[in-house]
Amino acid sequence: MNEINFSRRDALRLSGAALGSVTLTSGIASAAWDPLNPPPGSTQQNTLFKSLPLFRLGEPLAADEMRVSFMGTSPLERKTQMTTSVFVELGCGDSFVFDAGMGCQVNYTAMQVPASKMRKVFLTHLHGDHTSDLTYMYCFGPQRDAKSPMYLWGPSKSYVRNPWYKHPQFPQYDEEPEYFDDGMRAFASTFREMNRWHSESQSFVGTRWGAAEGDGYDVVATELNWATGAREGQWSDNLILRDAVFPWRSDEPWVAYHDPLNSVKISYFQAVHDRNGSISYKLEWNGLSMIFSGDTRPNMFMVNALTGSKMPVDLLIHEFVLPPEVWAAAANGGQAGQAAITTALAVQENSHTPEKGLGWILNQAQRAGKAPRLALATHFQASDDTIRPALDAVRSWYQGPFSIVTDLAVINVSSKRILQRRAVVSDYSPLPPTVDPRLGSGTFVPKYNDPRSTSPYYPYGPLEQLSPFLLDQVIQPCLYDPTSFSCQNPYAAYNPPPNPPGVTSMLRRR
Ligand SMILES: [Zn+2]
């Protein structure tokens, strides 16, 4: 591993904190690179990550191994790091997504993870930087090989009283409830409806495998009581799945998922982050274990999970954040005044783990003889200027195996070894191939289909959701390409919706 010899002062300078603001002399942004005044952050790199050995896509996973890939590792968006998502694959063939922050789908695709491997999603909390790419995964999964329901797990509602409830100063919010239904089931049902236009519009192709338990646009959400550990219940738009008892369903307290066939167990415990309801997860399989903190302040639930573990945890993935003055600069174009620093201090107080806080937790685990085999920090803008001081801060409490990850870090864990590598991917990746074995039995007839077997698109119904007055305005393909398939095979909609109310005339202007 390369040593990085930066002082904190160098680090701040390199990060752009002391460079001053970027000035545009002409008022028009120039594409030219000015070495004396580069864009904020452009001089940074991550030497630690570059020093890791390479992981090449397609490497098979040994039957007794767990592989953890980091698909998003930053709290604030940047080109090199998407927001939080951790992908866990097990040698038994199962795979799990933990959080799905903005941009992570790009990394899943670059890593050639098929959509069908991303159907079990565990959410630590419902912040946008941990949930926003769910929309994309959900919307486009069924267009790929994710033609089975999306299963979600997440916390129950917060029971934080709405301070504006019937407040005389805020009559405009009089319809708000005393307690918001801000838990997983309400999230899932509104999420499903929010994506209604999308899911219907794309259901002109098959979205359900012949042998699947439901449609790719079905959502099944299990709500986990963050306070008592009870399984609150499940919700699905599919009434059969709503009441179904799944093979991995568990009524044991604090257990989110238990698959006795593959001996996979995912339990959870409280985190302390922003508002009641955040949780951390622990996955156990084949004598191996992984804890993912999600977002949290340093807390004793975590210390107890580590020290109370029968065997030391193999992999601890814990969040930490930049020091407030560096965070403030990172959140303010590279430099920050006192107001931004106070905001960053409040964010840390409300939400996150300081570098030394994680060091202290690891120290507690070590003193109990339960230091993790490897601890990894995530949720951190990782570059040379931030990594060095963060390592120093953790090292002031803890000397055991510890590192800081960034996107595309890949960790193989077996009883014999833990291997840290970085994936080599293309900036121009194709979508991953279809791997779901249910492909063999084909798909059900699309929801919007054309039953005429003479149709050139049979059984797809490509024009079943467009009213005549719109179709009337489509430029006929033969006008611009007489050799095209659609000119050679003229197609008329089978059962389009009528013109909507208020549209009386059929305009014909070709
Ligand atoms: Zn958060």
Side-chain angles (χ1 to χ4, degrees), residues 327-340:
W327 174 288
N332 287 278
Q335 58 177 350
Q338 190 53 48

Side-chain angles (χ1 to χ4, degrees), residues 162 164-177:
N162 176 4
W164 289 350
Y165 176 67
K166 303 283 185 222
H167 193 295
Q169 249 182 304
F170 302 104
Q172 66 269 43
Y173 300 118
D174 259 5
E175 289 186 1
E176 285 188 354

